[in-house]
Amino acid sequence: MTTDAQSTRSTGSLTQGHLSPLDQIRLFEKKYDAVSTAVVDRLEPAPTWRCLDLGAGAGSMSYWLAERVGEGTVLALDTDTGYLEPDRADNLSVLQADLTTAEFPDGTFDLIFARAVLEHVREPEKVLGRITRWLAPGGWLVAEDFYYLPADHAPTPVGRALVGAYVRRMEAQGADMRWARGLPAALGRAGLTDVESRVTPAGPGQSPADDELIGTRLRQEGHTLVESGLVTAEQLTDFLDALGTPRGQDMTTLLVSAWGRRPLEG
């Protein structure tokens, strides 16, 4: 995702105007797909459901949904569809579009899934209101976003410096790293019912997948923090060296998964 001062979204990356490499996206999916699929599974999707995957990325959730609703349909939407494979399933289609300007008739989908999307758009609650109108009566919205814990509470000086720098850079690009805390309440204000949520911790030492993802991201993009003067090269090296060791463990973010249902008409 790219942005400028007038854009409706942030880049979602440390490097302005630079798409994250495919391997980084796949590591992200490897870390979080188990959480996302468990949430969707608890909604007991019918085989005929019509699904929309917003910000589909490299497509792992779109492909999973296509198998899960074999008699239904899945539309994978993203501003960049270069990593998506529309031929992966007969019931899968791909649309290159921006969710802030895309239009669908009211009641088009039985399930809308949006992971790490709303935190990157400006006026996320306004966008959320548009999205919920696309749900059919009784349809479900599953939204997942990240809440960053205060960097000042990190257990090490290098952690405080690096996490703080990362958050400041993301916020400078337009992301709201606190939005997810109010996500369940926002679903209620959007008119959804049966709202529930769960929280999944993330950060160094939380899992091997966390360490792999964080290490890859910082090795690819951490130089931008150094070049901007936000951290030193020594701090970056120290943080990377601590990954996978007891001294490097931390809980930096919480993935907030929230879901709600459009009321049945009448």
Side-chain angles (χ1 to χ4, degrees), residues 54-125:
L54 291 173
S60 64
M61 285 300 296
S62 295
Y63 306 148
W64 179 82
L65 284 169
E67 292 183 1
R68 191 70 172 76
V69 296
E71 301 171 33
T73 59
V74 177
L75 176 60
L77 183 149
D78 206 304
T79 54
D80 186 290
T81 57
Y83 296 139
L84 295 170
E85 303 173 34
D87 296 333
R88 283 284 291 264
D90 292 338
N91 62 340
L92 172 68
S93 58
V94 171
L95 175 64
Q96 183 170 351
D98 189 319
L99 69 89
T100 63
T101 57
E103 294 291 347
F104 297 100
D106 289 5
T108 298
F109 301 104
D110 301 294
L111 171 70
I112 297 175
F113 175 77
R115 181 173 63 190
V117 170
L118 292 172
E119 65 194 34
H120 293 292
V121 300
R122 306 195 192 282
E123 300 184 292
E125 195 144 352

